[in-house]
Amino acid sequence: MPWSSPQEEAGGTCRATSLPAGASPPGSLKTLSPGLAGPLPPAPAAPPPSGQSPRRSPAPRPRSRPALAPPGPALQPRALRSPPAVGNAMELGLAGRRALVTGAGKGIGRSTVRALHAAGVQVVAVSRTQGDLDSLARECPGVEPVCVDLGDWEATERALGGVGPVDLLVNNAAVALLQPFLEVTKEACDTSFDVNLRAVIQVSQIVARGLIARGAPGSIVNVSSQASQRALTNHGVYCATKGAMDMLTKVMALELGPHKIRVNTVNPTVVMTPMGKANWSDPLKAKTMLDRIPLGRFAEVQDVVDAILFLLSDCSSMTTGSAVPVDGGFLAT
């Protein structure tokens, strides 16, 4: 698989705070206490007329300075503050919604289910491996497991056609069958396009039709790859499916936007899932990719999950049709 393919198998909303008339935003000089800002210095006195002695002004009365309050979080040095946790400080506001995640048995999909479950989201977890779903249900009580091979159109329709209302969708399931271009087989093409593209269309149709029927807004995140925008040896079919996914996402955003349904992709580099660690454990092999990543490391699973949660939430309410790289700068090189 490529960089573990980047998939395996395969609130409070952000709010703008209104200020009363005449108030200044935090961080402006007017928010500093008098003890920090201090009084303005007096203007220099005009010189006396010639031949007259200067008049002495009475000594100014000392002004009492208010006691300084301990600095709050906004005044602490940045390095002393803990980094905000996604879903906490950002107030993603996902609690109470219902999400469907494909490829939920392993890697990015499984971690996404865990994060959504922890955020108070009711999750439908889709995988083709029953054992993975059983362990996930034990780990996250209340998750609704659905075992189906998304490469089978009819079976997918039977399994998900009556799934009920879904507000959020993560199309994560994918396969990566690597072959040199001159050796690409029909079977590899059929399987790759069935799972990586056709299933995205089908599952998204099911969810979007339900949203439109309810008149409800929604968000869809398609897990793509940096391989959608860079040619990689032996990845012809995989690159083709991910490039197609990126363009499909733009068309979905264009057509579903009037229904208040947003659609975006995340495009990770090599992701350190268990399979990613195994596939890229050879230092020489890893170096060829790391040399092209300005940040000098591969992505952790949580890096990708954080981007997915952000795009699912109302904090990204003006973002649709976008491809969000989680690649350490790979696509900038």
Side-chain angles (χ1 to χ4, degrees):
M1 297 184 72
W3 35 92
S4 136
S5 162
Q7 310 92 344
E8 293 178 35
E9 206 231 334
T13 304
C14 283
R15 301 181 180 91
T17 303
S18 59
L19 297 172
S24 300
S28 69
L29 286 177
K30 292 179 68 175
T31 63
L32 296 176
S33 66
L36 291 179
L40 294 175
S50 176
Q52 295 185 13
S53 300
R55 298 178 62 184
R56 293 185 179 180
S57 301
R61 291 185 178 181
R63 295 184 180 179
S64 61
R65 300 171 70 89
L68 294 178
L75 297 180
Q76 294 179 9
R78 185 177 181 85
L80 299 182
R81 285 182 278 162
S82 300
V86 170
N88 182 11
M90 289 181 66
E91 298 184 2
L92 296 178
L94 298 175
R97 303 190 193 184
R98 192 162 183 256
L100 189 153
V101 180
T102 70
K106 297 181 176 69
I108 295 169
R110 189 182 186 97
S111 293
T112 300
V113 171
R114 289 201 299 253
L116 289 170
H117 180 264
V121 178
Q122 180 64 45
V123 186
V124 180
V126 180
S127 172
R128 65 182 178 183
T129 307
Q130 187 63 53
D132 289 339
L133 290 173
D134 292 341
S135 63
L136 182 60
R138 289 192 296 270
E139 185 179 353
C140 302
V143 164
E144 305 172 44
V146 176
C147 188
V148 64
D149 179 1
L150 294 174
D152 185 330
W153 184 282
E154 289 72 23
T156 300
E157 189 64 37
R158 289 192 298 271
L160 297 179
V163 71
V166 173
D167 306 298
L168 313 168
L169 170 61
V170 181
N171 285 307
N172 170 72
V175 297
L177 306 177
L178 309 186
Q179 297 172 325
F181 171 70
L182 293 177
E183 300 175 18
V184 170
T185 62
K186 178 181 182 298
E187 291 74 20
C189 287
D190 289 346
T191 301
S192 297
F193 277 91
D194 282 352
V195 176
N196 296 5
L197 189 66
R198 196 175 71 175
V200 173
I201 295 173
Q202 184 182 18
V203 177
S204 298
Q205 284 178 336
I206 292 172
V207 171
R209 286 169 179 158
L211 287 167
I212 294 170
R214 292 188 288 130
S219 178
I220 298 173
V221 178
N222 297 326
V223 181
S224 184
S225 167
Q226 65 183 17
S228 69
Q229 301 178 46
R230 291 292 185 274
L232 299 166
T233 303
N234 299 334
H235 288 67
V237 175
Y238 183 78
C239 288
T241 61
K242 293 304 183 180
M245 171 184 271
D246 283 7
M247 184 51 68
L248 172 66
T249 298
K250 293 180 184 296
V251 175
M252 290 169 63
L254 180 66
E255 297 189 13
L256 297 179
H259 300 288
K260 310 306 179 192
I261 301 172
R262 298 183 298 104
V263 192
N264 296 283
T265 68
V266 292
N267 298 62
T269 182
V270 178
V271 182
M272 290 289 94
T273 60
M275 187 172 290
K277 292 176 181 178
N279 288 344
W280 294 86
S281 59
D282 180 359
L284 292 178
K285 178 182 177 182
K287 186 176 186 301
T288 62
M289 182 65 69
L290 288 171
D291 284 348
R292 301 173 65 183
I293 300 177
L295 291 185
R297 69 174 180 87
F298 294 142
E300 298 296 331
V301 174
Q302 193 62 41
D303 295 326
V304 185
V305 173
D306 286 348
I308 292 172
L309 296 182
F310 171 71
L311 291 173
L312 289 176
S313 78
D314 291 341
C315 287
S316 59
S317 62
M318 197 57 183
T319 304
T320 192
S322 297
V324 178
V326 187
D327 66 350
F330 176 87
L331 292 176
T333 62

